Amino acid sequence: MNKRVIVIEDNKEILDLIEEILTEEGYHVMAFNHYESVDDIMDFAPQLILLDIRLSDGYGHLLCEELKANPKAKNIPVILVSAADNLEKIAKDSQADDFLSKPFSVEDLIKIVKQYD
C-alpha cells in the first residue's frame, strides 16, 4: 500500500511540483492549497504531512500545533516547508517533526520524505 501524504501549500506551482514528485516516488498524495481542519486532514488518514507555514487563509505552524495537540493526529509526522528565516525555531516551537527550507531541490524533498517511511 502506498504511503498517504498530505501537502498543504498555497503556492499552486510549488503544490503541483511536490504532488508530482511524490506521486512519481509512489506516494498517494492529497494536495490542498488552503488551510484544512484537523478533522478533514484525519479523514484522509495521512502518514505524513508537508505543511507550508504561510497560507492564504491561516498559518501552517498553528495547524501543526493543533495536530500535535490532537490525540488522533499527534503521532503523524509533520514537516514544515517555508522560506521563513527562522524556520527551524518555528518548527521546534510548533512541535513539527522536521522542516524543509524553500527553495529546495527535488533530492532534498525526496530525502526528507523518505526519512519518515
Side-chain angles (χ1 to χ4, degrees), residues 8-11 14 18 51-55 79-90 99-104:
I8 304 174
E9 165 66 60
D10 68 340
N11 181 305
I14 294 173
I18 292 172
L51 181 56
D52 187 8
I53 63 170
R54 292 188 183 119
L55 302 169
I79 300 171
L80 293 184
V81 183
S82 177
D85 292 335
N86 53 347
L87 181 57
E88 186 172 4
K89 180 179 182 341
I90 294 169
F99 63 93
L100 179 63
S101 296
K102 292 177 187 174
F104 54 83

Side-chain angles (χ1 to χ4, degrees), residues 40-100:
D40 288 343
I41 289 171
M42 294 310 297
D43 285 347
F44 183 66
Q47 294 153 312
L48 179 66
I49 300 168
L50 295 175
L51 181 56
D52 187 8
I53 63 170
R54 292 188 183 119
L55 302 169
S56 59
D57 55 352
Y59 293 98
H61 63 284
L62 298 178
L63 177 55
C64 181
E65 290 174 11
E66 286 181 52
L67 288 162
K68 294 303 182 178
N70 184 307
K72 294 179 182 176
K74 69 180 182 179
N75 294 322
I76 301 168
V78 177
I79 300 171
L80 293 184
V81 183
S82 177
D85 292 335
N86 53 347
L87 181 57
E88 186 172 4
K89 180 179 182 341
I90 294 169
K92 182 179 179 186
D93 291 349
S94 62
Q95 301 175 36
D97 296 275
D98 218 328
F99 63 93
L100 179 63

Side-chain angles (χ1 to χ4, degrees), residues 21-36:
I21 291 166
L22 295 182
T23 299
E24 286 178 9
E25 289 294 314
Y27 295 95
H28 181 79
V29 180
M30 179 68 71
F32 298 100
N33 66 352
H34 52 83
Y35 194 95
E36 286 293 319

